[in-house]
Amino acid sequence: MKDGNTCRLCLKSSELQESHIIPRAIIKLIRDEGLDNRFYELRNKLTQKIQDGPKEYLLCDDCEQKIGRYEKYFIEAVHFSKHDIEIKHNRQFGIIDNLNYRKIKLFFLSLLWRMSISSLPEFENVCIGGNEETIRKMIVREEAGDSSEYSVIATILLFSQKMEEGLLTTAFVSKRRPSVYAIVLGGILYQISSAHQNSFFPAELLLNESDRWIMPLTDFYDIPFLREYIDHHFEQ
Ligand SMILES: [Zn+2]
């Protein structure tokens, strides 16, 4: 370990844990036997089955557990409707109610931060520069910031009118807006702004301080970079 044993989050010297960059619970969704249509791809150009997801020595045990709590909340709320979460759908939107903004925002901050500090090839295109340090401090202090800071929006992807929770992709950087990173986790496309303030995203769709998050439903193939990704990786 070239950085010795310094935890990247709290900066204390400690024995480091192997951290998952993508939450392990998301990997488990892919491997869920109940899902009939699964994707395994993470690495560019190499088709490989994900066993345990990409991981790297980054954090001390305390920090790993801190981030783990946000991951747990994220997956339990969005995919298993725990914590009194209510999820409704109509033809255009999925609507999640009773969401804890602070916990879920800290999950996305920690995801963006981990992808950026990671040296793994899956995340080499994620580089948020000086925002790494700003976000590190927010995570240490457990401050989620307001909805306009490092904003997050989500789109539920449909295949033949159905959501596909087994879908996971690597991270994409927007060509038009270089400060926006996109990743599909559990069949939902998340776009995270690495700009401290941005006005690109529609305000009504932001993950925000109310307890409601509105996610549009969109056919997977209507999103050009995802269509290209699938065409590139899964053509026979
Ligand atoms: Zn630490």
Side-chain angles (χ1 to χ4, degrees), residues 7 9-12 59-60 62-63:
C7 170
L9 185 57
C10 67
L11 307 181
K12 291 179 189 150
L59 304 177
C60 72
D62 283 354
C63 290

Side-chain angles (χ1 to χ4, degrees), residues 33-228:
E33 295 294 318
L35 298 168
D36 53 3
N37 185 8
R38 281 169 281 165
F39 293 84
Y40 297 111
E41 183 76 12
L42 252 190
R43 282 178 195 276
N44 285 339
K45 299 195 174 88
L46 290 172
T47 299
Q48 63 165 28
K49 194 166 173 170
I50 297 169
Q51 294 302 329
D52 198 22
K55 50 190 180 177
E56 188 173 3
Y57 288 95
L58 297 174
L59 304 177
C60 72
D61 189 43
D62 283 354
C63 290
E64 181 68 20
Q65 289 191 26
K66 179 190 245 181
I67 283 180
R69 285 194 293 275
Y70 301 131
E71 287 183 358
K72 187 166 185 290
Y73 179 79
F74 161 74
I75 195 102
E76 288 182 350
V78 174
H79 290 279
F80 295 100
S81 301
K82 292 185 181 176
H83 310 283
D84 298 321
I85 293 289
E86 287 177 32
I87 302 181
K88 290 176 284 213
H89 290 272
N90 60 30
R91 283 178 169 274
Q92 285 180 297
F93 298 103
I95 298 167
I96 304 185
D97 279 322
N98 295 335
L99 203 58
N100 182 310
Y101 168 73
R102 187 176 146 276
K103 288 182 185 173
I104 207 146
K105 181 67 178 283
L106 280 163
F107 163 70
F108 284 107
L109 290 173
S110 76
L111 177 68
L112 179 63
W113 177 77
R114 271 176 290 170
M115 292 193 297
S116 184
I117 66 168
S118 172
S119 61
L120 297 174
E122 288 89 342
F123 307 106
E124 67 190 357
N125 58 348
V126 182
C127 182
I128 63 171
N131 289 296
E132 270 180 12
E133 180 57 12
T134 308
I135 293 178
R136 185 190 70 79
K137 287 179 181 154
M138 290 171 82
I139 301 167
V140 166
R141 295 176 190 145
E142 306 199 275
E143 291 170 0
D146 69 38
S147 57
S148 67
E149 294 176 71
Y150 306 112
S151 312
V152 186
I153 58 171
T155 305
I156 296 172
L157 302 172
L158 299 178
F159 292 83
S160 308
Q161 311 292 323
K162 259 184 62 198
M163 183 179 172
E164 184 47 75
E165 289 181 287
L167 178 61
L168 167 72
T169 67
T170 186
F172 302 87
V173 57
S174 166
K175 290 185 184 114
R176 283 189 305 148
R177 294 165 180 162
S179 60
V180 174
Y181 293 93
I183 188 166
V184 178
L185 302 177
I188 300 175
L189 170 67
Y190 297 99
Q191 296 183 72
I192 312 170
S193 168
S194 67
H196 194 247
Q197 295 281 334
N198 105 23
S199 52
F200 300 144
F201 297 150
E204 67 275 16
L205 300 182
L206 292 183
L207 173 61
N208 67 75
E209 294 84 347
S210 78
D211 64 2
R212 169 170 283 192
W213 195 3
I214 299 174
M215 302 180 176
L217 307 177
T218 301
D219 191 273
F220 180 92
Y221 293 100
D222 287 343
I223 298 182
F225 67 85
L226 291 178
R227 195 177 55 224
E228 277 172 32

